[in-house]
């Protein structure tokens, strides 16, 4: 798939087929995640790939932002200890958030390229996830990404136009 087509064609998918995602596809998607840029190449991220139906059900209980029944949920976490050790307060408080955002977009674009739908979800109980997966204090879940073969692909929500949000300087 052409990069620009992938960028424009990806949609937040909230209804999924009852179909598993092959392991090789998931490995490819997670490889795309680790090839994201990160400030000072700190890579202060961890990803928990949840494929088990029972765990997905548990996550859904405290995640009002999840719609449909995804085949997989990726829990995108910041490693606050690593971010601080490598990039001080700036890394811990700001850069690591930017880094996981980029990794998340890579996950969603790579999924789209493989015909797999995704949706970023922030509306979930962070402390409940931490408890459920027994995460250490410094590993902070920031975003869930639901994955699955799309049942329905939504129409593209309206974008603010380029002329509305871009100021061209020195042209
Ligand atoms: C940081 C972030 C958090 C989001 N949280 C949710 C969420 O909790 N539930 C949900 O259904 N969609 C969520 N979304 C998806 C947005 O609603 C969606 O990206 C937006 O409406 C644009 O639609 P599109 O992704 O199809 O282009 C989130 C997206 C981002 C980037």
């Amino acid at each position: 798939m052409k990069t620009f087509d992938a960028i424009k064609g990806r949609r937040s998918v909230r209804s999924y087929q009852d179909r598993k995602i092959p392991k090789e596809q998931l490995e490819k998607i997670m490889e795309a995640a680790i090839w994201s840029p990160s400030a000072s190449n700190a890579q202060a991220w961890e990803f928990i790939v949840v494929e088990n139906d029972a765990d997905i059900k548990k996550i859904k209980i405290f995640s009002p932002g999840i719609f449909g029944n995804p085949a997989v949920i990726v829990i995108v976490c910041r490693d606050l200890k690593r971010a601080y050790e490598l990039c001080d307060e700036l890394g811990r408080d700001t850069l690591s958030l930017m880094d996981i955002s980029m990794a998340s977009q890579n996950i969603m674009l790579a999924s789209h390229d493989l015909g797999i739908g995704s949706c970023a979800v922030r509306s979930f109980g962070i402390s409940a996830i931490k408890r459920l997966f027994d995460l250490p204090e410094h590993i902070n879940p920031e975003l869930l990404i639901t994955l699955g073969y799309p049942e329905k692909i939504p129409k593209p929500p309206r974008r603010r136009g380029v002329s509305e949000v871009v100021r061209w300087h020195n042209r």
Side-chain angles (χ1 to χ4, degrees), residues 49-63:
V49 181
V50 184
E51 296 177 78
N52 177 287
D53 285 341
D55 285 331
I56 289 176
K57 264 197 188 132
K58 282 185 203 157
I59 293 174
K60 282 185 68 178
I61 292 168
F62 39 78
S63 305

PDB file of all heavy atoms in Angstrom, residues 49-63:
ATOM      1  N   VAL A  49       0.697  -7.281  24.275  1.00  0.00           N
ATOM      2  CA  VAL A  49      -0.221  -7.720  23.215  1.00  0.00           C
ATOM      3  C   VAL A  49      -1.148  -8.774  23.816  1.00  0.00           C
ATOM      4  O   VAL A  49      -0.715  -9.867  24.179  1.00  0.00           O
ATOM      5  CB  VAL A  49       0.566  -8.298  22.017  1.00  0.00           C
ATOM      6  CG1 VAL A  49      -0.394  -8.741  20.913  1.00  0.00           C
ATOM      7  CG2 VAL A  49       1.544  -7.250  21.469  1.00  0.00           C
ATOM      8  N   VAL A  50      -2.410  -8.410  23.954  1.00  0.00           N
ATOM      9  CA  VAL A  50      -3.374  -9.289  24.627  1.00  0.00           C
ATOM     10  C   VAL A  50      -4.241  -9.978  23.571  1.00  0.00           C
ATOM     11  O   VAL A  50      -5.003  -9.331  22.852  1.00  0.00           O
ATOM     12  CB  VAL A  50      -4.266  -8.474  25.590  1.00  0.00           C
ATOM     13  CG1 VAL A  50      -5.209  -9.396  26.357  1.00  0.00           C
ATOM     14  CG2 VAL A  50      -3.411  -7.652  26.539  1.00  0.00           C
ATOM     15  N   GLU A  51      -4.082 -11.298  23.480  1.00  0.00           N
ATOM     16  CA  GLU A  51      -4.838 -12.066  22.469  1.00  0.00           C
ATOM     17  C   GLU A  51      -5.907 -12.941  23.110  1.00  0.00           C
ATOM     18  O   GLU A  51      -6.778 -13.466  22.429  1.00  0.00           O
ATOM     19  CB  GLU A  51      -3.879 -12.988  21.707  1.00  0.00           C
ATOM     20  CG  GLU A  51      -2.826 -12.261  20.887  1.00  0.00           C
ATOM     21  CD  GLU A  51      -1.892 -13.275  20.240  1.00  0.00           C
ATOM     22  OE1 GLU A  51      -2.271 -13.887  19.236  1.00  0.00           O
ATOM     23  OE2 GLU A  51      -0.772 -13.446  20.779  1.00  0.00           O
ATOM     24  N   ASN A  52      -5.764 -13.117  24.412  1.00  0.00           N
ATOM     25  CA  ASN A  52      -6.626 -14.045  25.132  1.00  0.00           C
ATOM     26  C   ASN A  52      -8.030 -13.448  25.358  1.00  0.00           C
ATOM     27  O   ASN A  52      -8.173 -12.357  25.898  1.00  0.00           O
ATOM     28  CB  ASN A  52      -5.899 -14.298  26.466  1.00  0.00           C
ATOM     29  CG  ASN A  52      -6.661 -15.175  27.376  1.00  0.00           C
ATOM     30  OD1 ASN A  52      -7.651 -14.750  27.952  1.00  0.00           O
ATOM     31  ND2 ASN A  52      -6.211 -16.401  27.490  1.00  0.00           N
ATOM     32  N   ASP A  53      -9.052 -14.188  24.933  1.00  0.00           N
ATOM     33  CA  ASP A  53     -10.431 -13.678  25.015  1.00  0.00           C
ATOM     34  C   ASP A  53     -10.837 -13.277  26.435  1.00  0.00           C
ATOM     35  O   ASP A  53     -11.500 -12.261  26.636  1.00  0.00           O
ATOM     36  CB  ASP A  53     -11.425 -14.733  24.508  1.00  0.00           C
ATOM     37  CG  ASP A  53     -11.397 -14.835  22.993  1.00  0.00           C
ATOM     38  OD1 ASP A  53     -10.909 -13.873  22.353  1.00  0.00           O
ATOM     39  OD2 ASP A  53     -11.842 -15.868  22.453  1.00  0.00           O
ATOM     40  N   ALA A  54     -10.416 -14.103  27.410  1.00  0.00           N
ATOM     41  CA  ALA A  54     -10.813 -13.826  28.797  1.00  0.00           C
ATOM     42  C   ALA A  54     -10.211 -12.503  29.265  1.00  0.00           C
ATOM     43  O   ALA A  54     -10.881 -11.693  29.922  1.00  0.00           O
ATOM     44  CB  ALA A  54     -10.356 -14.972  29.693  1.00  0.00           C
ATOM     45  N   ASP A  55      -8.948 -12.252  28.918  1.00  0.00           N
ATOM     46  CA  ASP A  55      -8.302 -10.992  29.325  1.00  0.00           C
ATOM     47  C   ASP A  55      -8.919  -9.807  28.579  1.00  0.00           C
ATOM     48  O   ASP A  55      -9.081  -8.721  29.143  1.00  0.00           O
ATOM     49  CB  ASP A  55      -6.786 -11.060  29.071  1.00  0.00           C
ATOM     50  CG  ASP A  55      -6.086 -11.925  30.110  1.00  0.00           C
ATOM     51  OD1 ASP A  55      -6.592 -11.996  31.245  1.00  0.00           O
ATOM     52  OD2 ASP A  55      -5.067 -12.542  29.775  1.00  0.00           O
ATOM     53  N   ILE A  56      -9.257 -10.013  27.301  1.00  0.00           N
ATOM     54  CA  ILE A  56      -9.896  -8.931  26.532  1.00  0.00           C
ATOM     55  C   ILE A  56     -11.229  -8.555  27.188  1.00  0.00           C
ATOM     56  O   ILE A  56     -11.548  -7.377  27.348  1.00  0.00           O
ATOM     57  CB  ILE A  56     -10.065  -9.348  25.054  1.00  0.00           C
ATOM     58  CG1 ILE A  56      -8.690  -9.389  24.379  1.00  0.00           C
ATOM     59  CG2 ILE A  56     -11.006  -8.383  24.304  1.00  0.00           C
ATOM     60  CD1 ILE A  56      -8.689  -9.875  22.950  1.00  0.00           C
ATOM     61  N   LYS A  57     -11.952  -9.561  27.605  1.00  0.00           N
ATOM     62  CA  LYS A  57     -13.238  -9.317  28.299  1.00  0.00           C
ATOM     63  C   LYS A  57     -13.016  -8.495  29.564  1.00  0.00           C
ATOM     64  O   LYS A  57     -13.768  -7.562  29.853  1.00  0.00           O
ATOM     65  CB  LYS A  57     -13.885 -10.657  28.688  1.00  0.00           C
ATOM     66  CG  LYS A  57     -14.911 -11.120  27.682  1.00  0.00           C
ATOM     67  CD  LYS A  57     -15.814 -12.197  28.299  1.00  0.00           C
ATOM     68  CE  LYS A  57     -16.709 -12.772  27.205  1.00  0.00           C
ATOM     69  NZ  LYS A  57     -16.725 -14.216  27.187  1.00  0.00           N
ATOM     70  N   LYS A  58     -11.973  -8.861  30.318  1.00  0.00           N
ATOM     71  CA  LYS A  58     -11.693  -8.135  31.573  1.00  0.00           C
ATOM     72  C   LYS A  58     -11.340  -6.677  31.268  1.00  0.00           C
ATOM     73  O   LYS A  58     -11.803  -5.768  31.945  1.00  0.00           O
ATOM     74  CB  LYS A  58     -10.533  -8.793  32.316  1.00  0.00           C
ATOM     75  CG  LYS A  58     -10.931 -10.057  33.052  1.00  0.00           C
ATOM     76  CD  LYS A  58      -9.766 -10.595  33.874  1.00  0.00           C
ATOM     77  CE  LYS A  58      -9.960 -12.083  34.129  1.00  0.00           C
ATOM     78  NZ  LYS A  58      -8.727 -12.802  34.406  1.00  0.00           N
ATOM     79  N   ILE A  59     -10.511  -6.471  30.236  1.00  0.00           N
ATOM     80  CA  ILE A  59     -10.120  -5.094  29.884  1.00  0.00           C
ATOM     81  C   ILE A  59     -11.359  -4.281  29.523  1.00  0.00           C
ATOM     82  O   ILE A  59     -11.508  -3.123  29.907  1.00  0.00           O
ATOM     83  CB  ILE A  59      -9.115  -5.096  28.699  1.00  0.00           C
ATOM     84  CG1 ILE A  59      -7.792  -5.730  29.116  1.00  0.00           C
ATOM     85  CG2 ILE A  59      -8.882  -3.674  28.181  1.00  0.00           C
ATOM     86  CD1 ILE A  59      -6.791  -5.907  27.982  1.00  0.00           C
ATOM     87  N   LYS A  60     -12.281  -4.927  28.789  1.00  0.00           N
ATOM     88  CA  LYS A  60     -13.474  -4.210  28.332  1.00  0.00           C
ATOM     89  C   LYS A  60     -14.347  -3.727  29.493  1.00  0.00           C
ATOM     90  O   LYS A  60     -15.017  -2.701  29.380  1.00  0.00           O
ATOM     91  CB  LYS A  60     -14.299  -5.099  27.385  1.00  0.00           C
ATOM     92  CG  LYS A  60     -13.702  -5.155  25.981  1.00  0.00           C
ATOM     93  CD  LYS A  60     -14.578  -5.917  25.027  1.00  0.00           C
ATOM     94  CE  LYS A  60     -15.875  -5.190  24.734  1.00  0.00           C
ATOM     95  NZ  LYS A  60     -16.705  -5.938  23.763  1.00  0.00           N
ATOM     96  N   ILE A  61     -14.300  -4.450  30.605  1.00  0.00           N
ATOM     97  CA  ILE A  61     -15.144  -4.076  31.753  1.00  0.00           C
ATOM     98  C   ILE A  61     -14.838  -2.649  32.225  1.00  0.00           C
ATOM     99  O   ILE A  61     -15.726  -1.898  32.563  1.00  0.00           O
ATOM    100  CB  ILE A  61     -14.962  -5.091  32.911  1.00  0.00           C
ATOM    101  CG1 ILE A  61     -15.551  -6.437  32.503  1.00  0.00           C
ATOM    102  CG2 ILE A  61     -15.586  -4.587  34.211  1.00  0.00           C
ATOM    103  CD1 ILE A  61     -15.193  -7.584  33.432  1.00  0.00           C
ATOM    104  N   PHE A  62     -13.560  -2.299  32.231  1.00  0.00           N
ATOM    105  CA  PHE A  62     -13.231  -0.938  32.694  1.00  0.00           C
ATOM    106  C   PHE A  62     -12.700  -0.044  31.566  1.00  0.00           C
ATOM    107  O   PHE A  62     -11.866   0.824  31.778  1.00  0.00           O
ATOM    108  CB  PHE A  62     -12.260  -0.976  33.897  1.00  0.00           C
ATOM    109  CG  PHE A  62     -11.210  -2.044  33.789  1.00  0.00           C
ATOM    110  CD1 PHE A  62     -10.116  -1.870  32.974  1.00  0.00           C
ATOM    111  CD2 PHE A  62     -11.336  -3.221  34.519  1.00  0.00           C
ATOM    112  CE1 PHE A  62      -9.157  -2.829  32.878  1.00  0.00           C
ATOM    113  CE2 PHE A  62     -10.370  -4.206  34.424  1.00  0.00           C
ATOM    114  CZ  PHE A  62      -9.283  -4.004  33.596  1.00  0.00           C
ATOM    115  N   SER A  63     -13.166  -0.289  30.346  1.00  0.00           N
ATOM    116  CA  SER A  63     -12.766   0.543  29.202  1.00  0.00           C
ATOM    117  C   SER A  63     -13.988   0.987  28.400  1.00  0.00           C
ATOM    118  O   SER A  63     -14.301   0.396  27.362  1.00  0.00           O
ATOM    119  CB  SER A  63     -11.805  -0.239  28.296  1.00  0.00           C
ATOM    120  OG  SER A  63     -10.709  -0.722  29.020  1.00  0.00           O
TER     121      SER A  63
END
